[in-house]
Amino acid sequence: MSMDSFLLDGQLRRFLEEDLEHGDITTDAIFDQETASARFVARQPLVACGMEQVAARVFCLLGGQLEFGQMAADGSRKDSGDVLLTVKGPVRTLLRGERVALNLVQRLCGIATLTARFVDQVQGLPVRIVDTRKTTPGLRMLEKYAVRCGGGGNHRYSLSDGVLVKDNHIAACGSISAAVERLRGRIPHTVKIEVECDTPAQVEQCLVCEVEIIMLDNMDTATMTEAVQRINGQALVEASGGVNLETVRAIAETGVDIISIGGLTHSAPAVDIGMDWI
Amino acid sequence: MSMDSFLLDGQLRRFLEEDLEHGDITTDAIFDQETASARFVARQPLVACGMEQVAARVFCLLGGQLEFGQMAADGSRKDSGDVLLTVKGPVRTLLRGERVALNLVQRLCGIATLTARFVDQVQGLPVRIVDTRKTTPGLRMLEKYAVRCGGGGNHRYSLSDGVLVKDNHIAACGSISAAVERLRGRIPHTVKIEVECDTPAQVEQCLVCEVEIIMLDNMDTATMTEAVQRINGQALVEASGGVNLETVRAIAETGVDIISIGGLTHSAPAVDIGMDWI
Amino acid sequence: MSMDSFLLDGQLRRFLEEDLEHGDITTDAIFDQETASARFVARQPLVACGMEQVAARVFCLLGGQLEFGQMAADGSRKDSGDVLLTVKGPVRTLLRGERVALNLVQRLCGIATLTARFVDQVQGLPVRIVDTRKTTPGLRMLEKYAVRCGGGGNHRYSLSDGVLVKDNHIAACGSISAAVERLRGRIPHTVKIEVECDTPAQVEQCLVCEVEIIMLDNMDTATMTEAVQRINGQALVEASGGVNLETVRAIAETGVDIISIGGLTHSAPAVDIGMDWI
Amino acid sequence: MSMDSFLLDGQLRRFLEEDLEHGDITTDAIFDQETASARFVARQPLVACGMEQVAARVFCLLGGQLEFGQMAADGSRKDSGDVLLTVKGPVRTLLRGERVALNLVQRLCGIATLTARFVDQVQGLPVRIVDTRKTTPGLRMLEKYAVRCGGGGNHRYSLSDGVLVKDNHIAACGSISAAVERLRGRIPHTVKIEVECDTPAQVEQCLVCEVEIIMLDNMDTATMTEAVQRINGQALVEASGGVNLETVRAIAETGVDIISIGGLTHSAPAVDIGMDWI
Amino acid sequence: MSMDSFLLDGQLRRFLEEDLEHGDITTDAIFDQETASARFVARQPLVACGMEQVAARVFCLLGGQLEFGQMAADGSRKDSGDVLLTVKGPVRTLLRGERVALNLVQRLCGIATLTARFVDQVQGLPVRIVDTRKTTPGLRMLEKYAVRCGGGGNHRYSLSDGVLVKDNHIAACGSISAAVERLRGRIPHTVKIEVECDTPAQVEQCLVCEVEIIMLDNMDTATMTEAVQRINGQALVEASGGVNLETVRAIAETGVDIISIGGLTHSAPAVDIGMDWI
Amino acid sequence: MSMDSFLLDGQLRRFLEEDLEHGDITTDAIFDQETASARFVARQPLVACGMEQVAARVFCLLGGQLEFGQMAADGSRKDSGDVLLTVKGPVRTLLRGERVALNLVQRLCGIATLTARFVDQVQGLPVRIVDTRKTTPGLRMLEKYAVRCGGGGNHRYSLSDGVLVKDNHIAACGSISAAVERLRGRIPHTVKIEVECDTPAQVEQCLVCEVEIIMLDNMDTATMTEAVQRINGQALVEASGGVNLETVRAIAETGVDIISIGGLTHSAPAVDIGMDWI
């Protein structure tokens, strides 16, 4: 499991530039060529994400001779006190990069950890927990990767790579069938059509239009169960809205194929990770 | 209260490019030149942030003729159901920009709202609630503005505009006095020196070195009270670590001048805001 | 039919910078504030593409007061001598932008025109002519739009928005079934799986794996016809390889759903368009 | 013969970003750390261009340990079946970079090959085949290099590095002499003045103005021959317009010094090159 | 006389970003929506450069409603106390842009003013004062324009648009003739060859090679006079090295065509211009 | 003493792109794979700045195998004839990078050298010579570093990292006290407030407002001496305006803490450094 480093570097550079502006005036005044060793330590149980491709890479971009020891594998479960990363290098590089590296991995591990909790809740059921486009602006690639590290899957990445007809589309266009008709023949044949439904009547329309994915939005579990039975394999069924750790298993038990959860990315609390000198 | 639009546009463009990639295939296939009116509605009580400079600007960047009606003032308190923004323009622009605009203002209003809760907790006390550098990578300017909208203040922005000698600096350098000595004469005279202290002994050293700001890190309130009395106005006193809505008032009552809270930006839950057609 | 201007401007700017480098030394030395009127004229029959969003926009980016008269609609068929665009503005802007504007629309109209010839060849048959990723580096968004202007459709845009298992994937992975198995559960549920097949045996494997799109690569029409009958609606069928204006109708008559043609973008000859003063 | 790698990398990165968007979902799902060896093979006779600085560099930018074996020298003539490049490295890198590398070298070798055909046609005559500014937007540096690989030369690169007074300049300015007069003293002394002439009368004016290069635009060979004799070494003579493989030798025999051909870059068909696993 | 605004904006933005970093904390804290009027006043005699395209543009980029009154024409001579620019607009915009605008125009007017002094010194002689590539990195387009505003001309802009064989080229290559031989046929026919000569013997070699421009580098005026007579119109003659306001007329009187002076750009003292509220 | 290379590379690249545009046509035509050794030699006494991080880095960015020998330490004093840098590498890299490297280090050493002359003038006095924001647009980080190499200090870097209430702020706001009142509570507690004073009355107001730094702008030394005595350690005192090598010692003797000099960066003459083949 990994991300494309080629695509990450530009982002990491921008994050460093944001925190460095014209340089680290504290560190530059105090230190010269000293080297040190440091480790990233989990201060709570978590699912690891980004030690190699994010944290270590941040230090590498800042330059100087660096040696990395341990690196927690992406997706591995760690306990409080576990070492996630060890690095030896110039003090100036370590202190310069510390905050950006921590800000990133605390957030990514937070998302992976929350995702894993949802996945654990639905263990044994044939359902997939996925994210949404409710990601932090500028961090989508990283956050969607963190969801995968937590055992989840990804919904479409952007407005470009998936078709989702939402309530506002339907309202502005007039009807589901009108919207779907315009889509057929205009979108690439490689992409499925998904429609957001608030009511059983809309589900019926989707079936008439032979939509490939039907999203049941904010339905109660009874309505969802009926919808799943009515759809009966003619489309993938996705549940969305009002999903939390308490409700997710009941939703999964309705038989839906996919449960999408915006909170995986917009509300995952950052986990606590510290950088200590060795 | 406002941000520098000149500095924001580049960021907003990147966020739109992230969500658009090569275009909105759903909206482009369904709509042509239709126009519509929409409003952003608070679905919970919140402190407003970013309606004009972020949400409205996102739509402007996408182009087309746009008219804005209401715009909740930054820093204003709003109830569930209140309208935060109304916009009339091309359906394509509204649907393209919806997610990016919402992702941003939900997060920013979340930070402003949480900050306001902390500020409310210390009402009447001569203390200032401030943020840290634990912001979301790429969003620092926006998030620090949201803290101000919530009634808080800002700590240093980056490694460039403030000196903070932290535990790792002290450990690597040997002592507080060694670090401060190297700083004097090397940093601009316009910047104050702040040192992070874990113990009363370190506070003593700071006083000897005539440090301008002393951070009391993770001390209990009894120790903090003593430190404040010992410092006795010779330096600004900042409390940090373990601050939450339950503990903040007690910390403020120790007499510290500033309380810095990483959680304002790294853990503020996004508030719920929806975009509805009018 | 249109492209997202928000996404185009950065590209058009780069193209202008390439041709301007540090300025137009000829025009700057000869002209000052003079204005003129010019028109783009088709010097051969063609399908129009890009007059408003590309050619006119190029002039707008260069600045000055501009008035546009006629603009040939994207996708409209024009004869030799037809006026495609009229523009009035500063001589310096018109001469500076002429070459970049022409270089772009000659290429885009060329692609639209070639696409239309293929589409004409298969008139009446239930098949769709689509492009590939064999586009000019840096021009994909524009070229894929030109294909749509010519009446064609788009295959996946990039490596991100569609799954295509090609010969080299199969060889490196061992088998179609091994590849598809790894894909299931790792790719977004919004994306279809397509597999490139060179033989009827591979088509059989695809059917076993329930692949959504089967590409018949470089097969003769007899083999294709058999494959279409064997697949019998269980997957979309795409023909690829060796498609030209002579062969395309016979290929379409095999019953395939989609015919993808790299030559639409990599080998469409530029059409002849001139810019004349009025 | 080579290009400046320093200037190429930014372009190659953009081309990769265009094709990768947020990653290669097919390859990432199927492969992990596997390595493989591949070769680029000419599927038709061609003049090589870009194996080292373009194709190999594309793979290098994507990262991972790579070994290159053969690399066809730029400008060398190759037959169908000849190996142009061999590379060993991560499967993920090879599959990610394949399309961008091929799209580029197929086009560049196409231009080099077409240029060589023109150069062959005029063998033995003291004339130089050169390109124009009718290049693909965004690819000028690469395409002009390909022309040199094919044995041609380059006309001016951009509007900045050469003066060319064209028909539209003359029309807007009033006369050749008026245009040249304004140019003298305003352009760098390092640059020659070239004027496009449609008639013998215009050639006369150029001689009066002591223009350094006279372009004979779209003249028949008889008129050109007369013009060359009239000019008689007082200026470099360039032929332009209506040049193709059938006409080029007759044009060269008129005695012109330079023949410029837009079709070298705007209409060179891509050559067929494949990437095969070894 | 003007520059290409299209090419300038990106530079001006970067300069503003350098000075603003994350915002103007002084001005933002003190002012809100106040407006004011300001003028740029010459505090010494100078040649104007950049009021419209640089100073006014800087304010425009920062946004807000702006009105400009007087703007000193580029190249006009102004006395101490003359108003160069008047602007009315938001206080925040005026204070934010003041320093960047002044830093630029003080430098540009300084270059224009120094150039004019050199041009004045050679009045009546058929010689042209030109700049070199010894410009401030990042400011070449602006500085070369300032030279033109002062009545000078431009030498080549970059390594791309002119050929100059310098001492280090000759030393590394072996001889002038070897260098020129390699250049013939490889460089565009639109570009002249210039060779730097330290001795009369090298001038002889240049004449043999039919070099178009001969640079006499650091020669005394007697040697220069002889060289000019020897060259006798077979090449343009450029004097370079050791040129200052005292020596320039004597150098011009040797009969050289061009005098290039690095000091025009690398050592022109900034002129004094102030921004005052009206 | 060093700069942050991470932050420099983007700038150096842009400077190289400015000088290279599409390549070095002279060097590319003459040389192939030849290597050579060169040295940078001081042609006048100077304080060294930028040999490693600027000059050597410029060559590294251009690529090829490079070996560096001597590198003058930043801040070291060198005589005419001293070698500042030796480098061995491809002739093409050395000739391509020569001008950009020299343009930069001649300017930076010029600033360091001038700064050192000011610092020498005030030897023995407890005062600090600092720069201003009157730097060359685009070169601030480099020029402020050069000031430090010359023994000076830095004033605030940008509008973001220091508060300076200037005459135009006071005029637009009404009074010093009004301005300072608005600043208190709005700016980060880490930043000091500095106010520019033209008169003793303004100094009084600053003392009332408890401003941390008082700038005495363009005062005569008698007035300054009185002001210093009046301030009596209640604020840092900075002298500004009319400072030159003749006046600086007298100003320092007034007892001010800091002397800021715009001329350090806007008017330091470039020093003479040459690149010679070895």
Side-chain angles (χ1 to χ4, degrees), chain C residues 13 16-17 20-23 32 61-62 92 96, chain E residues 1-4 6-7 141 148 157-158 160-161:
Chain C
R13 271 180 212 284
L16 282 166
E17 285 165 2
L20 277 173
E21 292 200 305
H22 53 274
D32 190 22
L61 287 173
L62 289 170
R92 290 168 75 149
R96 258 178 176 73
Chain E
M1 201 153 43
S2 72
M3 279 171 292
D4 196 325
F6 171 76
L7 297 170
M141 192 161 55
R148 295 201 301 278
Y157 186 87
S158 75
S160 282
D161 68 336

Side-chain angles (χ1 to χ4, degrees), chain D residues 2 4 6-7 157 161, chain F residues 16 20-22 61 92 96:
Chain D
S2 73
D4 195 325
F6 171 76
L7 297 169
Y157 186 87
D161 69 336
Chain F
L16 282 166
L20 276 173
E21 292 199 306
H22 55 273
L61 288 173
R92 291 168 75 149
R96 260 179 173 74

Side-chain angles (χ1 to χ4, degrees), chain A residues 16 21-23 61 92 96, chain F residues 2 4 6-7 141 157 161:
Chain A
L16 282 166
E21 292 200 306
H22 53 274
L61 288 173
R92 291 168 75 149
R96 262 179 172 71
Chain F
S2 72
D4 196 325
F6 172 76
L7 298 169
M141 192 163 55
Y157 187 88
D161 68 337

Side-chain angles (χ1 to χ4, degrees), chain B residues 15-27:
Chain B
F15 300 152
L16 282 166
E17 285 165 3
E18 182 188 60
D19 196 36
L20 276 173
E21 292 200 305
H22 54 273
D24 179 349
I25 58 173
T26 308
T27 301

Side-chain angles (χ1 to χ4, degrees), chain C residues 38 68 78 94 107 124 161 169 180 182 192 209 212 230 270:
Chain C
F68 297 98
K78 297 291 170 182
L94 299 182
R107 175 175 302 268
D161 68 337
H169 291 88
V180 172
R182 294 189 202 172
K192 298 177 188 168
C209 300
E212 279 104 343
R230 177 65 188 87

Side-chain angles (χ1 to χ4, degrees), chain C residues 18 103 107, chain D residues 132-137 139-140 143-144 265:
Chain C
E18 182 187 59
N103 281 356
R107 175 175 302 268
Chain D
T132 67
R133 282 169 47 243
K134 295 181 183 174
T135 55
T136 310
L139 296 181
R140 187 165 290 170
E143 293 188 348
K144 287 200 165 243
T265 51

